[in-house]
Amino acid sequence: MKKLATMVLAAALTAFLAPQAQAAGSTFPTPTGQKPTGATIKVPAGTPYDGGMKRFYGTGNLGSGGQNEGQDPIFQLADGATLKNVVLGAPAADGVHCLGTCTLTNVWWEDVGEDAATFKGSSSSQTMTINGGGARKASDKVFQHNGPGTMIIRNFQVDDFGKLYRSCGNCKTQHKRHVVLENITAFSPGKSLVGINTNYGDTARFSKITIVGDSSKKIAICEKYKGVTSGEPTKIGSGPDSTNCLYKTSDVTYR
């Protein structure tokens, strides 16, 4: 009888814990305070802007919470600027705009607005580095790459998203763009990690990718498009190759 009671208790505990395990997702930091923001904060090159892990969110013209293109950002980073220790809450407007080489360290988006961050600029040698942090609730894109150059995303987590990275599919001026993803944890649901335009010579490199809660492997790793300068781009394939989508199956772990 005692053995039966133990078995029943164990089964009950299993039933109780299983849904919690399935629901486990990304872990975000607790903000140290609130910072309502009614106008774009412009960060110059030189001294890093340290947000002290406060939650910044849009008010006034930055507070619509919409998905329309052309919104102003909460932060605008000059060429050579650094932003660190920031939590972007809702509404986040158009997140962060980077006007050239920039670094985002330990930046978190609790509820992505139009995009979490957009890489602009005009130099093929510019680099946007995202190191640490995470993003949730991106109905479309997390990182949008409009200018040329290379975006590096490392030590990052993404949860409930459309695309983690997209090389602009229909910018009026198109460029060859590159993205490097290293030590990324992606939590389902999500659509794809990367979308690139192979006709412009884009490349995407992947290493240490972990995808959680996607046993059917619905999240695409690397989608290939034919980019355009007007109209809509055409999806032309997905998966690894030796030219554009640079990874091996061993670079991706599912759990």
Side-chain angles (χ1 to χ4, degrees):
M1 194 71 172
K2 185 177 180 180
K3 183 177 179 181
L4 178 61
T6 301
M7 291 173 63
V8 170
L9 178 61
L13 283 171
T14 300
F16 174 74
L17 292 173
Q20 291 185 323
Q22 290 171 1
S26 54
T27 302
F28 273 50
T30 300
T32 59
Q34 306 289 333
K35 188 74 172 179
T37 306
T40 297
I41 299 169
K42 296 184 178 181
V43 182
T47 305
Y49 185 102
D50 190 333
M53 294 309 294
K54 289 186 174 65
R55 177 188 283 124
F56 292 74
Y57 62 92
T59 61
N61 291 335
L62 297 179
S64 71
Q67 288 291 316
N68 56 301
E69 298 282 353
Q71 294 184 72
D72 290 332
I74 301 289
F75 290 95
Q76 182 186 87
L77 308 186
D79 185 14
T82 296
L83 178 68
K84 65 180 184 178
N85 302 328
V86 164
V87 177
L88 280 91
D94 203 27
V96 178
H97 285 183
C98 177
L99 304 185
T101 290
C102 68
T103 302
L104 280 65
T105 302
N106 196 34
V107 176
W108 301 81
W109 290 263
E110 293 179 325
D111 190 339
V112 174
E114 165 53 27
D115 298 314
T118 303
F119 191 15
K120 297 173 177 278
S122 58
S123 172
S124 60
S125 63
Q126 66 188 14
T127 301
M128 180 177 184
T129 302
I130 299 103
N131 188 9
R136 285 176 175 161
K137 302 178 183 178
S139 60
D140 190 7
K141 306 170 296 293
V142 177
F143 297 116
Q144 172 76 16
H145 194 164
N146 289 351
T150 301
M151 186 183 293
I152 300 170
I153 310 167
R154 60 166 60 106
N155 307 320
F156 194 84
Q157 55 182 304
V158 61
D159 190 346
D160 188 7
F161 61 103
K163 286 181 172 63
L164 174 57
Y165 167 94
R166 179 67 170 103
S167 173
C168 183
N170 57 1
C171 283
K172 291 180 180 178
T173 301
Q174 288 286 25
H175 306 277
K176 177 188 287 188
R177 306 181 181 98
H178 308 285
V179 62
V180 178
L181 275 71
E182 177 184 340
N183 194 27
I184 304 297
T185 303
F187 295 85
S188 180
K191 294 180 180 178
S192 65
L193 293 184
V194 162
I196 58 174
N197 307 312
T198 57
N199 56 315
Y200 297 127
D202 291 357
T203 64
R205 297 178 181 272
F206 302 79
S207 63
K208 299 179 183 177
I209 307 298
T210 301
I211 298 181
V212 181
D214 184 28
S215 58
S216 58
K217 299 184 179 180
K218 290 183 178 180
I219 297 174
I221 305 301
C222 187
E223 294 185 323
K224 306 167 193 179
Y225 290 84
K226 181 180 180 181
V228 295
T229 54
S230 64
E232 292 299 320
T234 304
K235 184 179 174 183
I236 56 177
S238 64
D241 57 48
S242 59
T243 306
N244 304 105
C245 291
L246 305 170
Y247 68 99
K248 306 182 296 294
T249 54
S250 59
D251 291 316
V252 183
T253 300
Y254 291 85
R255 63 177 174 86

